[in-house]
Amino acid sequence: MKSLFKTQPLKRKLLALLMIISCSVLLLATVGFAASDWISSRGDLYDRMRYQGNLIGNNSLAALTFGDRAAARQTLSTLSSEDNVVAAALYDHAGQRFAAYRKGPLALPATPPAQATGEHEGALYIVQPIVHDHETIGQIMILSELSNWQQQQVQRMSVVLGLFLVSVLVASILSDVAQGVVTGPILNLANTARRITKTRNYQLRAEKLSRDEIGELADDFNEMLHQIQSRDEELRSIQAQLEEKVQERTAELEELTRQLEHQAFHDTLTGLANRATFDNNLMTAIHYAQRRGSQLAVMFLDLDRFKEVNDTLGHGVGDRLLVEMSTRLHNCLRQSDTLARLGGDEFAVLLMDADVDATAEVAHKLVQAIDHPAVIDGYNLQVTTSIGISLYPCDGTEASALLKNADTAMYHSKELGGNQFNFYVTEMNQRTERRMLLESKLRDALSKQAFTLCYQPKWNTQSLRIAGVEALIRWFDPEEGFISPAEFIPLAEDCGLIGEIDDWVARQACRDILSLYEGAEPELSLAVNLSPALFVNEDVYRRIAGTLEQTGFPAHKLELEVTETLVVSEVASVHEQLSKIRQLGVEIAIDDFGVAYSSLSRLKQLPLNTLKIDRSFIQDIGSDQDDEVIVRTIIDMAHNLNLKVVAEGVETEQQYQFVKRHHCNLVQGYLFSKPVPLAELARLLQQQSCSREPLASIPHR
Ligand SMILES: Nc1nc2c(ncn2[C@@H]2O[C@H](COP(=O)(O)O[C@H]3[C@@H](O)[C@H](n4cnc5c(=O)[nH]c(N)nc54)O[C@@H]3COP(=O)(O)O)[C@@H](O)[C@H]2O)c(=O)[nH]1
């Protein structure tokens, strides 16, 4: 019952409660009223009977006193007019019935009952004494019919019940209205809550239908909705931000994945395919060519002089130069070809369906594309490329063999002076082997100090006397014979031995020249070559200072020949080291000047003493007017910058006369003397000191 009640809607519960309460109250009131009415109407009846008893008693005093039964009966018969009285009896002082009156068949008791009131044979009775002069002379008993009274009571009860039912009806209507008044606002709240739950629309508000506690509840409910709405909006905005962040992160991740994928297959600097991609493409191409019976060409490219640029101008310039060169190479190729950067300044090209002629044509285009200056960070940089080519299937059927053979052919191109391409031929392998052999011999020679020095004099064009010498290294191998520095110096630079070699040359040359003057200050100036690679380690100053200290050679008689690319480098440490070396008193000469397109402004900033015009310009004097103009311009420019000028590689009288005519300070070349051993130099100097004639005019050449 309790649980059933719990499951009922509030409306019904409230209605039921109100009905229970109102019905209970009405019932109690009705029952109370009926009971009281019953009691009071019975009391009224008794009162009436007592009154009738008193009246009849008083009227019967004489009859009792005189024993006049007829008079007594006469008096009792007056009760016939009383509707309620059904019987009456008079008893004498002895309690014996004296006279009686009856309307119906009711039997009267012979003696009066002991109780003053009560019921006798379904009728109400009263018994009361008849007193005269304080003496009881008899008793009277009056019996009143109950059926009339009961009928009246039933009628009254019917009215009361009718009233009760009407009241219940009215109570139920009023309860219904009351529950509506109470539950209406609550249901309104509940409906609003339900709609919000369904629609998730937190902008909805509950209507305030009353100003009581439920009205306050509606206010609180609306306030709560307001807070939920604000929080909801806040959450939505956070969610939107989060979604935006997630989208951004997803995009970033996708981009990163794309970049990683790209990096896995491409070279980061140039964006070209990397080695892995090239190997992969090459293997696929080999399978394809195998099935179709077609040819493939693999090219191995290396940039000549790139190392020098990279070492001297810095990696930033080097990187940009590589990017420029890769663009040029790319522009020469078809979509179906693969161009990859294998690392450093090495590139590889894969040509599909390529025969010898077509490959040679492409290789030629590639060489040409690289062979013109590139302006990088204001420098006019000239590099060239050496290309080696191997063909599938004649030079190999495996990817590794094809690449190795192309690499060998590339070294061959380099050995031939670079700026060219060569197809692989089996004999080239011997050269690679030789290079490896040479490297091992070089290490051995260095440890055994198996090098010697030659000195090539430099003549003063005015006095025609030897003003200085350039120390040049010589290597005689017992098996190989004479090995040119042009071959082993680049090898020493490649395998990191150049520092030791140049240190040895500088120390030995200083000692040699000092020995010519038996400890006195040499009249000659001594020039030694310094590889640009040494400047990368930033310890050239320490090396030179160490050499001067160890040998005691006067600093102002020592000259360092460095490459043009190095001195035009804007790498701060190079400038700094050259300045410190200059502060020692050592002079600085730019070797092979004219090939690296130095700017005038840059030359002005540098601590230089001498420009050595590159042999290539001197050799074309008499045959190339442009080169003559260049030589003249270099001499004029050097003089304007207060620099001495040396013309190197002077081989003919015409060349000599030309440079002399344009006031070149010094000349060096086979016209006057080849590099000679120290003893021969000593003889020349001896000859010069004994002769009054200028030595260079002596026809010994
Ligand atoms: N870092 C070092 N480099 C060195 C050292 N010794 C030499 N070298 C460099 O090796 C290159 C080849 O040198 P080498 O074979 O000694 O040739 C020199 C001369 O013999 C040659 N020369 C001189 N006059 C003439 C000439 O009239 N005609 C002609 N064909 N050749 C001539 O030139 C070379 C000297 O050139 P340069 O140094 O530019 O003045 C060469 O690059 C050397 O620099 C060394 O100890 N360390």
Side-chain angles (χ1 to χ4, degrees), residues 456 470 472-474 484-486 489 498 502 505 529 531 561 591-592 612 615 619 648-651 668-670 675:
Q456 187 173 30
E470 178 183 1
L472 294 161
I473 193 166
R474 293 294 175 258
S484 163
I489 290 290
I498 192 67
D502 280 354
V505 170
N529 289 282
S531 165
E561 291 193 10
D591 205 359
D592 307 329
K612 281 184 84 177
R615 196 163 56 235
Q619 276 168 355
E648 66 174 11
V650 177
E651 291 182 356
Q668 177 184 357
Y670 292 172

PDB file of all heavy atoms in Angstrom, residues 456 470 472-474 484-486 489 498 502 505 529 531 561 591-592 612 615 619 648-651 668-670 675, ligand 1:
ATOM      1  N   GLN A 456     111.717  27.635 -56.292  1.00  0.00           N
ATOM      2  CA  GLN A 456     111.614  28.323 -57.584  1.00  0.00           C
ATOM      3  C   GLN A 456     111.819  29.821 -57.342  1.00  0.00           C
ATOM      4  O   GLN A 456     111.050  30.448 -56.601  1.00  0.00           O
ATOM      5  CB  GLN A 456     110.257  28.077 -58.236  1.00  0.00           C
ATOM      6  CG  GLN A 456     110.229  28.653 -59.655  1.00  0.00           C
ATOM      7  CD  GLN A 456     108.956  28.290 -60.417  1.00  0.00           C
ATOM      8  OE1 GLN A 456     107.905  28.113 -59.817  1.00  0.00           O
ATOM      9  NE2 GLN A 456     109.076  28.178 -61.731  1.00  0.00           N
ATOM     10  N   GLU A 470     110.012  30.422 -53.956  1.00  0.00           N
ATOM     11  CA  GLU A 470     108.823  29.716 -53.455  1.00  0.00           C
ATOM     12  C   GLU A 470     109.238  28.279 -53.176  1.00  0.00           C
ATOM     13  O   GLU A 470     109.823  27.620 -54.050  1.00  0.00           O
ATOM     14  CB  GLU A 470     107.701  29.742 -54.496  1.00  0.00           C
ATOM     15  CG  GLU A 470     106.468  28.968 -54.032  1.00  0.00           C
ATOM     16  CD  GLU A 470     105.351  28.914 -55.073  1.00  0.00           C
ATOM     17  OE1 GLU A 470     105.518  29.465 -56.182  1.00  0.00           O
ATOM     18  OE2 GLU A 470     104.307  28.300 -54.771  1.00  0.00           O
ATOM     19  N   LEU A 472     108.664  24.493 -52.871  1.00  0.00           N
ATOM     20  CA  LEU A 472     107.697  23.551 -53.448  1.00  0.00           C
ATOM     21  C   LEU A 472     108.115  22.139 -53.057  1.00  0.00           C
ATOM     22  O   LEU A 472     109.291  21.775 -53.174  1.00  0.00           O
ATOM     23  CB  LEU A 472     107.658  23.706 -54.971  1.00  0.00           C
ATOM     24  CG  LEU A 472     107.110  25.054 -55.442  1.00  0.00           C
ATOM     25  CD1 LEU A 472     107.522  25.347 -56.884  1.00  0.00           C
ATOM     26  CD2 LEU A 472     105.589  25.100 -55.330  1.00  0.00           C
ATOM     27  N   ILE A 473     107.158  21.388 -52.589  1.00  0.00           N
ATOM     28  CA  ILE A 473     107.459  20.053 -52.068  1.00  0.00           C
ATOM     29  C   ILE A 473     107.697  19.060 -53.215  1.00  0.00           C
ATOM     30  O   ILE A 473     107.088  19.185 -54.297  1.00  0.00           O
ATOM     31  CB  ILE A 473     106.332  19.565 -51.133  1.00  0.00           C
ATOM     32  CG1 ILE A 473     106.757  18.334 -50.340  1.00  0.00           C
ATOM     33  CG2 ILE A 473     105.062  19.289 -51.904  1.00  0.00           C
ATOM     34  CD1 ILE A 473     105.843  18.009 -49.177  1.00  0.00           C
ATOM     35  N   ARG A 474     108.566  18.088 -52.970  1.00  0.00           N
ATOM     36  CA  ARG A 474     108.829  17.028 -53.955  1.00  0.00           C
ATOM     37  C   ARG A 474     108.800  15.708 -53.226  1.00  0.00           C
ATOM     38  O   ARG A 474     109.225  15.593 -52.071  1.00  0.00           O
ATOM     39  CB  ARG A 474     110.205  17.230 -54.622  1.00  0.00           C
ATOM     40  CG  ARG A 474     110.293  18.480 -55.499  1.00  0.00           C
ATOM     41  CD  ARG A 474     109.370  18.361 -56.723  1.00  0.00           C
ATOM     42  NE  ARG A 474     109.328  19.579 -57.528  1.00  0.00           N
ATOM     43  CZ  ARG A 474     108.340  20.450 -57.493  1.00  0.00           C
ATOM     44  NH1 ARG A 474     107.319  20.292 -56.661  1.00  0.00           N
ATOM     45  NH2 ARG A 474     108.342  21.501 -58.287  1.00  0.00           N
ATOM     46  N   SER A 484     103.909  13.978 -58.499  1.00  0.00           N
ATOM     47  CA  SER A 484     103.659  15.425 -58.525  1.00  0.00           C
ATOM     48  C   SER A 484     102.823  15.882 -57.331  1.00  0.00           C
ATOM     49  O   SER A 484     101.858  15.213 -56.957  1.00  0.00           O
ATOM     50  CB  SER A 484     102.908  15.787 -59.813  1.00  0.00           C
ATOM     51  OG  SER A 484     102.337  17.069 -59.676  1.00  0.00           O
ATOM     52  N   PRO A 485     103.184  17.054 -56.766  1.00  0.00           N
ATOM     53  CA  PRO A 485     102.324  17.598 -55.690  1.00  0.00           C
ATOM     54  C   PRO A 485     100.902  17.861 -56.184  1.00  0.00           C
ATOM     55  O   PRO A 485      99.960  17.813 -55.403  1.00  0.00           O
ATOM     56  CB  PRO A 485     103.030  18.888 -55.271  1.00  0.00           C
ATOM     57  CG  PRO A 485     104.055  19.177 -56.289  1.00  0.00           C
ATOM     58  CD  PRO A 485     104.369  17.902 -57.016  1.00  0.00           C
ATOM     59  N   ALA A 486     100.776  18.135 -57.511  1.00  0.00           N
ATOM     60  CA  ALA A 486      99.424  18.359 -58.054  1.00  0.00           C
ATOM     61  C   ALA A 486      98.556  17.117 -57.847  1.00  0.00           C
ATOM     62  O   ALA A 486      97.336  17.203 -57.797  1.00  0.00           O
ATOM     63  CB  ALA A 486      99.520  18.702 -59.545  1.00  0.00           C
ATOM     64  N   ILE A 489      98.962  16.518 -53.235  1.00  0.00           N
ATOM     65  CA  ILE A 489      98.482  17.559 -52.297  1.00  0.00           C
ATOM     66  C   ILE A 489      96.945  17.468 -52.135  1.00  0.00           C
ATOM     67  O   ILE A 489      96.444  17.436 -51.003  1.00  0.00           O
ATOM     68  CB  ILE A 489      98.937  18.971 -52.732  1.00  0.00           C
ATOM     69  CG1 ILE A 489     100.454  19.134 -52.532  1.00  0.00           C
ATOM     70  CG2 ILE A 489      98.181  20.076 -51.977  1.00  0.00           C
ATOM     71  CD1 ILE A 489     100.941  19.202 -51.095  1.00  0.00           C
ATOM     72  N   ILE A 498      97.347  17.219 -44.799  1.00  0.00           N
ATOM     73  CA  ILE A 498      97.953  18.438 -45.338  1.00  0.00           C
ATOM     74  C   ILE A 498      98.591  19.313 -44.254  1.00  0.00           C
ATOM     75  O   ILE A 498      99.613  19.962 -44.486  1.00  0.00           O
ATOM     76  CB  ILE A 498      96.925  19.241 -46.189  1.00  0.00           C
ATOM     77  CG1 ILE A 498      97.613  20.345 -47.000  1.00  0.00           C
ATOM     78  CG2 ILE A 498      95.812  19.807 -45.328  1.00  0.00           C
ATOM     79  CD1 ILE A 498      98.523  19.816 -48.061  1.00  0.00           C
ATOM     80  N   ASP A 502     102.323  20.687 -44.646  1.00  0.00           N
ATOM     81  CA  ASP A 502     102.646  22.117 -44.752  1.00  0.00           C
ATOM     82  C   ASP A 502     103.523  22.592 -43.592  1.00  0.00           C
ATOM     83  O   ASP A 502     104.385  23.459 -43.763  1.00  0.00           O
ATOM     84  CB  ASP A 502     101.362  22.946 -44.863  1.00  0.00           C
ATOM     85  CG  ASP A 502     100.810  22.933 -46.291  1.00  0.00           C
ATOM     86  OD1 ASP A 502     101.492  22.379 -47.182  1.00  0.00           O
ATOM     87  OD2 ASP A 502      99.699  23.453 -46.523  1.00  0.00           O
ATOM     88  N   VAL A 505     106.980  21.470 -44.485  1.00  0.00           N
ATOM     89  CA  VAL A 505     107.542  22.293 -45.570  1.00  0.00           C
ATOM     90  C   VAL A 505     108.018  23.630 -45.007  1.00  0.00           C
ATOM     91  O   VAL A 505     109.149  24.079 -45.274  1.00  0.00           O
ATOM     92  CB  VAL A 505     106.493  22.523 -46.691  1.00  0.00           C
ATOM     93  CG1 VAL A 505     106.986  23.560 -47.692  1.00  0.00           C
ATOM     94  CG2 VAL A 505     106.185  21.217 -47.414  1.00  0.00           C
ATOM     95  N   ASN A 529     103.515  27.598 -49.434  1.00  0.00           N
ATOM     96  CA  ASN A 529     102.075  27.467 -49.707  1.00  0.00           C
ATOM     97  C   ASN A 529     101.346  26.967 -48.457  1.00  0.00           C
ATOM     98  O   ASN A 529     101.860  26.119 -47.731  1.00  0.00           O
ATOM     99  CB  ASN A 529     101.841  26.455 -50.831  1.00  0.00           C
ATOM    100  CG  ASN A 529     102.297  27.017 -52.164  1.00  0.00           C
ATOM    101  OD1 ASN A 529     101.608  27.819 -52.765  1.00  0.00           O
ATOM    102  ND2 ASN A 529     103.491  26.602 -52.609  1.00  0.00           N
ATOM    103  N   SER A 531      97.647  25.370 -47.354  1.00  0.00           N
ATOM    104  CA  SER A 531      96.347  24.867 -47.816  1.00  0.00           C
ATOM    105  C   SER A 531      95.203  25.589 -47.082  1.00  0.00           C
ATOM    106  O   SER A 531      95.277  25.776 -45.870  1.00  0.00           O
ATOM    107  CB  SER A 531      96.265  23.367 -47.541  1.00  0.00           C
ATOM    108  OG  SER A 531      94.939  22.954 -47.645  1.00  0.00           O
ATOM    109  N   GLU A 561     101.659  31.933 -49.137  1.00  0.00           N
ATOM    110  CA  GLU A 561     100.824  31.983 -50.335  1.00  0.00           C
ATOM    111  C   GLU A 561      99.516  31.259 -50.017  1.00  0.00           C
ATOM    112  O   GLU A 561      99.522  30.058 -49.711  1.00  0.00           O
ATOM    113  CB  GLU A 561     101.537  31.339 -51.520  1.00  0.00           C
ATOM    114  CG  GLU A 561     102.728  32.158 -51.977  1.00  0.00           C
ATOM    115  CD  GLU A 561     103.280  31.717 -53.331  1.00  0.00           C
ATOM    116  OE1 GLU A 561     102.633  30.898 -54.010  1.00  0.00           O
ATOM    117  OE2 GLU A 561     104.362  32.202 -53.698  1.00  0.00           O
ATOM    118  N   ASP A 591      97.699  33.575 -53.994  1.00  0.00           N
ATOM    119  CA  ASP A 591      98.179  32.703 -55.074  1.00  0.00           C
ATOM    120  C   ASP A 591      97.097  32.583 -56.139  1.00  0.00           C
ATOM    121  O   ASP A 591      95.906  32.731 -55.842  1.00  0.00           O
ATOM    122  CB  ASP A 591      98.477  31.320 -54.463  1.00  0.00           C
ATOM    123  CG  ASP A 591      99.501  30.555 -55.272  1.00  0.00           C
ATOM    124  OD1 ASP A 591      99.957  31.083 -56.310  1.00  0.00           O
ATOM    125  OD2 ASP A 591      99.848  29.420 -54.851  1.00  0.00           O
ATOM    126  N   ASP A 592      97.507  32.296 -57.360  1.00  0.00           N
ATOM    127  CA  ASP A 592      96.568  32.028 -58.467  1.00  0.00           C
ATOM    128  C   ASP A 592      95.478  33.094 -58.546  1.00  0.00           C
ATOM    129  O   ASP A 592      94.277  32.784 -58.706  1.00  0.00           O
ATOM    130  CB  ASP A 592      95.891  30.653 -58.304  1.00  0.00           C
ATOM    131  CG  ASP A 592      96.898  29.537 -58.123  1.00  0.00           C
ATOM    132  OD1 ASP A 592      98.014  29.664 -58.672  1.00  0.00           O
ATOM    133  OD2 ASP A 592      96.580  28.557 -57.436  1.00  0.00           O
ATOM    134  N   LYS A 612      99.566  37.196 -56.762  1.00  0.00           N
ATOM    135  CA  LYS A 612     100.262  36.394 -57.781  1.00  0.00           C
ATOM    136  C   LYS A 612      99.252  36.085 -58.875  1.00  0.00           C
ATOM    137  O   LYS A 612      98.262  35.371 -58.631  1.00  0.00           O
ATOM    138  CB  LYS A 612     100.774  35.079 -57.172  1.00  0.00           C
ATOM    139  CG  LYS A 612     102.044  35.246 -56.369  1.00  0.00           C
ATOM    140  CD  LYS A 612     102.564  33.899 -55.878  1.00  0.00           C
ATOM    141  CE  LYS A 612     103.401  33.203 -56.935  1.00  0.00           C
ATOM    142  NZ  LYS A 612     103.977  31.937 -56.441  1.00  0.00           N
ATOM    143  N   ARG A 615      98.568  31.604 -63.470  1.00  0.00           N
ATOM    144  CA  ARG A 615      99.332  31.190 -64.650  1.00  0.00           C
ATOM    145  C   ARG A 615      98.473  31.166 -65.918  1.00  0.00           C
ATOM    146  O   ARG A 615      98.948  31.476 -67.002  1.00  0.00           O
ATOM    147  CB  ARG A 615      99.904  29.797 -64.377  1.00  0.00           C
ATOM    148  CG  ARG A 615     100.985  29.382 -65.273  1.00  0.00           C
ATOM    149  CD  ARG A 615     101.793  28.215 -64.755  1.00  0.00           C
ATOM    150  NE  ARG A 615     100.979  27.043 -64.441  1.00  0.00           N
ATOM    151  CZ  ARG A 615     100.998  26.450 -63.252  1.00  0.00           C
ATOM    152  NH1 ARG A 615     101.760  26.928 -62.294  1.00  0.00           N
ATOM    153  NH2 ARG A 615     100.279  25.391 -63.022  1.00  0.00           N
ATOM    154  N   GLN A 619      99.733  32.712 -69.462  1.00  0.00           N
ATOM    155  CA  GLN A 619     100.002  31.834 -70.604  1.00  0.00           C
ATOM    156  C   GLN A 619      99.293  32.293 -71.873  1.00  0.00           C
ATOM    157  O   GLN A 619      99.723  31.984 -72.977  1.00  0.00           O
ATOM    158  CB  GLN A 619      99.609  30.400 -70.265  1.00  0.00           C
ATOM    159  CG  GLN A 619     100.738  29.707 -69.519  1.00  0.00           C
ATOM    160  CD  GLN A 619     100.304  28.383 -68.907  1.00  0.00           C
ATOM    161  OE1 GLN A 619      99.135  28.012 -68.951  1.00  0.00           O
ATOM    162  NE2 GLN A 619     101.275  27.689 -68.331  1.00  0.00           N
ATOM    163  N   GLU A 648     103.138  34.637 -62.342  1.00  0.00           N
ATOM    164  CA  GLU A 648     103.659  33.263 -62.228  1.00  0.00           C
ATOM    165  C   GLU A 648     103.430  32.509 -63.533  1.00  0.00           C
ATOM    166  O   GLU A 648     102.561  32.869 -64.323  1.00  0.00           O
ATOM    167  CB  GLU A 648     103.035  32.531 -61.042  1.00  0.00           C
ATOM    168  CG  GLU A 648     101.562  32.262 -61.159  1.00  0.00           C
ATOM    169  CD  GLU A 648     101.015  31.419 -60.028  1.00  0.00           C
ATOM    170  OE1 GLU A 648     101.697  31.195 -59.024  1.00  0.00           O
ATOM    171  OE2 GLU A 648      99.862  30.983 -60.163  1.00  0.00           O
ATOM    172  N   GLY A 649     104.278  31.543 -63.761  1.00  0.00           N
ATOM    173  CA  GLY A 649     104.146  30.724 -64.970  1.00  0.00           C
ATOM    174  C   GLY A 649     104.613  31.455 -66.222  1.00  0.00           C
ATOM    175  O   GLY A 649     104.116  31.194 -67.319  1.00  0.00           O
ATOM    176  N   VAL A 650     105.589  32.368 -66.034  1.00  0.00           N
ATOM    177  CA  VAL A 650     106.105  33.090 -67.211  1.00  0.00           C
ATOM    178  C   VAL A 650     107.042  32.134 -67.962  1.00  0.00           C
ATOM    179  O   VAL A 650     108.065  31.709 -67.427  1.00  0.00           O
ATOM    180  CB  VAL A 650     106.843  34.380 -66.776  1.00  0.00           C
ATOM    181  CG1 VAL A 650     107.445  35.079 -67.990  1.00  0.00           C
ATOM    182  CG2 VAL A 650     105.890  35.305 -66.029  1.00  0.00           C
ATOM    183  N   GLU A 651     106.672  31.821 -69.202  1.00  0.00           N
ATOM    184  CA  GLU A 651     107.443  30.822 -69.961  1.00  0.00           C
ATOM    185  C   GLU A 651     108.087  31.419 -71.205  1.00  0.00           C
ATOM    186  O   GLU A 651     109.004  30.826 -71.776  1.00  0.00           O
ATOM    187  CB  GLU A 651     106.519  29.671 -70.357  1.00  0.00           C
ATOM    188  CG  GLU A 651     106.070  28.836 -69.165  1.00  0.00           C
ATOM    189  CD  GLU A 651     105.185  27.664 -69.551  1.00  0.00           C
ATOM    190  OE1 GLU A 651     104.844  27.527 -70.739  1.00  0.00           O
ATOM    191  OE2 GLU A 651     104.837  26.879 -68.651  1.00  0.00           O
ATOM    192  N   GLN A 668     107.995  34.836 -62.126  1.00  0.00           N
ATOM    193  CA  GLN A 668     108.365  33.484 -61.691  1.00  0.00           C
ATOM    194  C   GLN A 668     107.928  32.567 -62.816  1.00  0.00           C
ATOM    195  O   GLN A 668     106.816  32.701 -63.327  1.00  0.00           O
ATOM    196  CB  GLN A 668     107.618  33.141 -60.397  1.00  0.00           C
ATOM    197  CG  GLN A 668     107.843  31.758 -59.880  1.00  0.00           C
ATOM    198  CD  GLN A 668     106.981  31.472 -58.629  1.00  0.00           C
ATOM    199  OE1 GLN A 668     106.269  32.361 -58.151  1.00  0.00           O
ATOM    200  NE2 GLN A 668     107.042  30.267 -58.136  1.00  0.00           N
ATOM    201  N   GLY A 669     108.796  31.696 -63.257  1.00  0.00           N
ATOM    202  CA  GLY A 669     108.377  30.803 -64.330  1.00  0.00           C
ATOM    203  C   GLY A 669     109.547  30.098 -64.962  1.00  0.00           C
ATOM    204  O   GLY A 669     110.713  30.383 -64.665  1.00  0.00           O
ATOM    205  N   TYR A 670     109.196  29.138 -65.822  1.00  0.00           N
ATOM    206  CA  TYR A 670     110.232  28.308 -66.445  1.00  0.00           C
ATOM    207  C   TYR A 670     111.166  29.119 -67.335  1.00  0.00           C
ATOM    208  O   TYR A 670     112.268  28.690 -67.651  1.00  0.00           O
ATOM    209  CB  TYR A 670     109.568  27.198 -67.261  1.00  0.00           C
ATOM    210  CG  TYR A 670     108.835  26.154 -66.421  1.00  0.00           C
ATOM    211  CD1 TYR A 670     108.053  25.172 -67.027  1.00  0.00           C
ATOM    212  CD2 TYR A 670     108.950  26.142 -65.034  1.00  0.00           C
ATOM    213  CE1 TYR A 670     107.383  24.212 -66.282  1.00  0.00           C
ATOM    214  CE2 TYR A 670     108.272  25.193 -64.276  1.00  0.00           C
ATOM    215  CZ  TYR A 670     107.492  24.235 -64.894  1.00  0.00           C
ATOM    216  OH  TYR A 670     106.835  23.304 -64.145  1.00  0.00           O
ATOM    217  N   PRO A 675     111.619  25.027 -60.569  1.00  0.00           N
ATOM    218  CA  PRO A 675     111.957  24.805 -59.166  1.00  0.00           C
ATOM    219  C   PRO A 675     113.239  23.962 -59.087  1.00  0.00           C
ATOM    220  O   PRO A 675     113.360  22.964 -59.813  1.00  0.00           O
ATOM    221  CB  PRO A 675     110.741  24.033 -58.641  1.00  0.00           C
ATOM    222  CG  PRO A 675     109.634  24.354 -59.580  1.00  0.00           C
ATOM    223  CD  PRO A 675     110.266  24.526 -60.906  1.00  0.00           C
TER     224      PRO A 675
HETATM  225  N1  LIG B   1     100.006  23.237 -49.842  1.00  0.00           N
HETATM  226  C1  LIG B   1     101.053  23.053 -50.574  1.00  0.00           C
HETATM  227  N2  LIG B   1     100.928  23.046 -51.908  1.00  0.00           N
HETATM  228  C2  LIG B   1     102.038  22.849 -52.644  1.00  0.00           C
HETATM  229  C3  LIG B   1     103.279  22.647 -52.048  1.00  0.00           C
HETATM  230  N3  LIG B   1     104.173  22.472 -53.054  1.00  0.00           N
HETATM  231  C4  LIG B   1     103.527  22.546 -54.182  1.00  0.00           C
HETATM  232  N4  LIG B   1     102.212  22.790 -53.951  1.00  0.00           N
HETATM  233  C5  LIG B   1     101.162  22.944 -54.880  1.00  0.00           C
HETATM  234  O1  LIG B   1     101.101  21.861 -55.712  1.00  0.00           O
HETATM  235  C6  LIG B   1     100.710  22.298 -56.993  1.00  0.00           C
HETATM  236  C7  LIG B   1     101.726  21.768 -58.005  1.00  0.00           C
HETATM  237  O2  LIG B   1     102.984  22.270 -57.658  1.00  0.00           O
HETATM  238  P1  LIG B   1     104.267  22.030 -58.511  1.00  0.00           P
HETATM  239  O3  LIG B   1     104.107  20.780 -59.268  1.00  0.00           O
HETATM  240  O4  LIG B   1     105.381  22.219 -57.596  1.00  0.00           O
HETATM  241  O5  LIG B   1     104.185  23.183 -59.553  1.00  0.00           O
HETATM  242  C8  LIG B   1     104.662  24.451 -59.220  1.00  0.00           C
HETATM  243  C9  LIG B   1     105.634  24.920 -60.279  1.00  0.00           C
HETATM  244  O6  LIG B   1     106.492  23.910 -60.700  1.00  0.00           O
HETATM  245  C10 LIG B   1     104.735  25.337 -61.375  1.00  0.00           C
HETATM  246  N5  LIG B   1     105.358  26.322 -62.266  1.00  0.00           N
HETATM  247  C11 LIG B   1     106.186  27.312 -61.942  1.00  0.00           C
HETATM  248  N6  LIG B   1     106.536  27.988 -63.084  1.00  0.00           N
HETATM  249  C12 LIG B   1     105.895  27.401 -64.073  1.00  0.00           C
HETATM  250  C13 LIG B   1     105.811  27.664 -65.447  1.00  0.00           C
HETATM  251  O7  LIG B   1     106.433  28.558 -66.024  1.00  0.00           O
HETATM  252  N7  LIG B   1     105.059  26.820 -66.237  1.00  0.00           N
HETATM  253  C14 LIG B   1     104.334  25.780 -65.627  1.00  0.00           C
HETATM  254  N8  LIG B   1     103.632  25.009 -66.422  1.00  0.00           N
HETATM  255  N9  LIG B   1     104.431  25.536 -64.321  1.00  0.00           N
HETATM  256  C15 LIG B   1     105.140  26.338 -63.548  1.00  0.00           C
HETATM  257  O8  LIG B   1     103.680  25.979 -60.701  1.00  0.00           O
HETATM  258  C16 LIG B   1     103.512  25.407 -59.389  1.00  0.00           C
HETATM  259  C17 LIG B   1     103.572  26.490 -58.386  1.00  0.00           C
HETATM  260  O9  LIG B   1     102.328  27.110 -58.444  1.00  0.00           O
HETATM  261  P2  LIG B   1     101.870  28.093 -57.349  1.00  0.00           P
HETATM  262  O10 LIG B   1     101.934  27.360 -56.015  1.00  0.00           O
HETATM  263  O11 LIG B   1     100.487  28.430 -57.699  1.00  0.00           O
HETATM  264  O12 LIG B   1     102.773  29.229 -57.372  1.00  0.00           O
HETATM  265  C18 LIG B   1     100.667  23.789 -56.989  1.00  0.00           C
HETATM  266  O13 LIG B   1      99.355  24.203 -56.853  1.00  0.00           O
HETATM  267  C19 LIG B   1     101.383  24.135 -55.752  1.00  0.00           C
HETATM  268  O14 LIG B   1     100.905  25.310 -55.143  1.00  0.00           O
HETATM  269  C20 LIG B   1     103.377  22.664 -50.650  1.00  0.00           C
HETATM  270  O15 LIG B   1     104.450  22.532 -50.040  1.00  0.00           O
HETATM  271  N10 LIG B   1     102.250  22.877 -49.946  1.00  0.00           N
END
